[in-house]
Amino acid sequence: INSLTGNIPTEFGLLTNMRFLYFSNNLLTGELPTELGALTGLWRLWIEDNTFEGSIPSEYANMAEIQDLRLGDTGLDRAPIPEFIYDFKNLVELRMQRASLTGPISSRISNLSKLKTFYIYNNYISGMLPSQIGAMEELVRLRVEDNFLSGDIPTEIGYMTSLRDMRIDYNNLDGKLPQEVSNLVKLETLQCDRNYLTGMIPDGITNLVDLAVLSLYDNYFTGSLPSNIGNLGKLVELRVNKNRHEDVNQPGIGGFLPTSLGNLANLEVFEADENALVGEIPSELGKLNKLRVLNLGKNYLMGEVPVELEELNKIENVYLGGNSFTGVVPPGICTTDSLPPRVSADCAEVTCKCCTECFSK
């Protein structure tokens, strides 16, 4: 990381034995020199985090040996993913986030069978996730969030058994979350929020015992939470909120909160607001001694708030409003190891001496 300015000198194209070329994190401007296309033996080209203009030169198709290509945050003009990139069969790392990319992901993505990292997030990519993506069995990190992808998630994604990080959130994907996702047993992060996904959360998702982040909020999921969700013992963040959409008569996630939630000893964030959950809060939630955020607002929960929640010594935010609780919100909830938490409840229906906010229906 330096503060280099100006254009990349065209003379770099004369260094035909070069294997590594790093220009990332500078203040470089101008167009990318076509002369770099003469570096046919280049293994790594990093030019991300600069302010270039124009497009990726077609001459770069000559870099047939490239293994690590990083073109993100470059300021280039809007354009599709260059077709020649799908011919780089030795690619292991491809990072093109925030690169003003448009158009679809080609079915030729299957050519990149050695790829471990595929970053094209925060672009203008449209079309469907091609089924051929399932051929990328070595892929570890798939980040395509913040685009305009649509259609179903291909079932072939279940072949990508090396995946640890899968982020497809903030798109226009619809259909069901395929059962085949349960094959991705190495997954640590699964983010599907802000799409139009429907149907039930696959029960097989509880096979993904390495998951630390499971985020499914703001979709159209129905059914209930898997009863054995407590199998996900490494889970730190669980977000299934905002699946109820009254404007389209979509009920959201319903049923009872599973008692197995109490087995999630590492859980720090649990958000399930704006759904159709019923019944009482399980007393087992009091076992979650790392929990910082508990959001159960705007459901159909009832009964008394369990006194066991007073054991949540790390809690920072508790949202209970928009339900039908009775009795007293246990005052010990407001006694934590740090600052007093924010607590929201229906003050007209329950006694809550330490609430910082009263919910109004």
Side-chain angles (χ1 to χ4, degrees), residues 132-315:
Q132 291 82 0
I133 201 169
M136 302 166 69
E137 297 181 10
E138 308 239 344
L139 199 67
V140 176
R141 292 167 289 273
L142 172 64
R143 294 191 56 182
V144 297
E145 72 266 27
D146 279 301
N147 278 291
F148 297 92
L149 293 167
S150 58
D152 292 348
I153 300 171
T155 57
E156 288 83 359
I157 210 158
Y159 294 122
M160 303 169 70
T161 53
S162 297
L163 271 180
R164 295 185 183 275
D165 187 353
M166 176 175 162
R167 307 189 200 190
I168 57 176
D169 44 309
Y170 287 78
N171 278 288
N172 299 314
L173 297 167
D174 54 29
K176 296 181 178 181
L177 184 61
Q179 285 283 353
E180 287 78 4
V181 76
S182 62
N183 296 336
L184 309 180
V185 294
K186 294 182 180 180
L187 265 186
E188 298 171 0
T189 297
L190 176 59
Q191 294 183 188
C192 304
D193 30 282
R194 291 287 179 95
N195 281 290
Y196 298 92
L197 300 175
T198 59
M200 298 178 66
I201 299 171
D203 283 337
I205 210 165
T206 58
N207 296 333
L208 310 181
V209 295
D210 284 337
L211 269 184
V213 176
L214 176 58
S215 190
L216 305 174
Y217 75 86
D218 206 353
N219 278 286
Y220 293 82
F221 287 113
T222 54
S224 57
L225 290 174
S227 60
N228 57 346
I229 197 164
N231 291 352
L232 303 179
K234 296 182 181 180
L235 208 57
V236 176
E237 298 180 13
L238 174 58
R239 292 185 170 92
V240 293
N241 46 316
K242 298 184 179 179
N243 278 283
R244 186 177 80 218
H245 298 272
E246 295 178 350
D247 57 328
V248 291
N249 195 29
Q250 185 72 14
I253 296 170
F256 296 95
L257 285 168
T259 57
S260 69
L261 285 166
N263 297 333
L264 302 178
N266 291 296
L267 197 65
E268 297 182 11
V269 176
F270 178 39
E271 295 186 324
D273 55 296
E274 296 187 47
N275 278 297
L277 297 169
V278 298
E280 299 183 354
I281 298 176
S283 60
E284 287 81 359
L285 293 191
K287 299 177 183 178
L288 305 178
N289 56 20
K290 293 184 180 180
L291 198 65
R292 296 183 294 103
V293 177
L294 175 62
N295 191 346
L296 300 174
K298 298 184 181 180
N299 279 285
Y300 304 110
L301 297 168
M302 60 190 341
E304 295 191 356
V305 178
V307 69
E308 286 82 0
L309 295 191
E310 291 185 329
E311 302 299 318
L312 303 177
N313 293 324
K314 304 293 184 184
I315 202 71

Side-chain angles (χ1 to χ4, degrees), residues 28-66:
L28 296 169
T29 57
E31 296 188 350
L32 295 174
T34 59
E35 287 81 1
L36 295 187
L39 305 179
T40 57
L42 200 64
W43 292 344
R44 293 182 188 170
L45 176 61
W46 295 6
I47 57 174
E48 56 192 357
D49 289 299
N50 283 287
T51 313
F52 297 113
E53 59 188 48
S55 59
I56 301 170
S58 59
E59 287 81 359
Y60 289 17
N62 298 324
M63 299 178 180
E65 302 299 318
I66 198 77

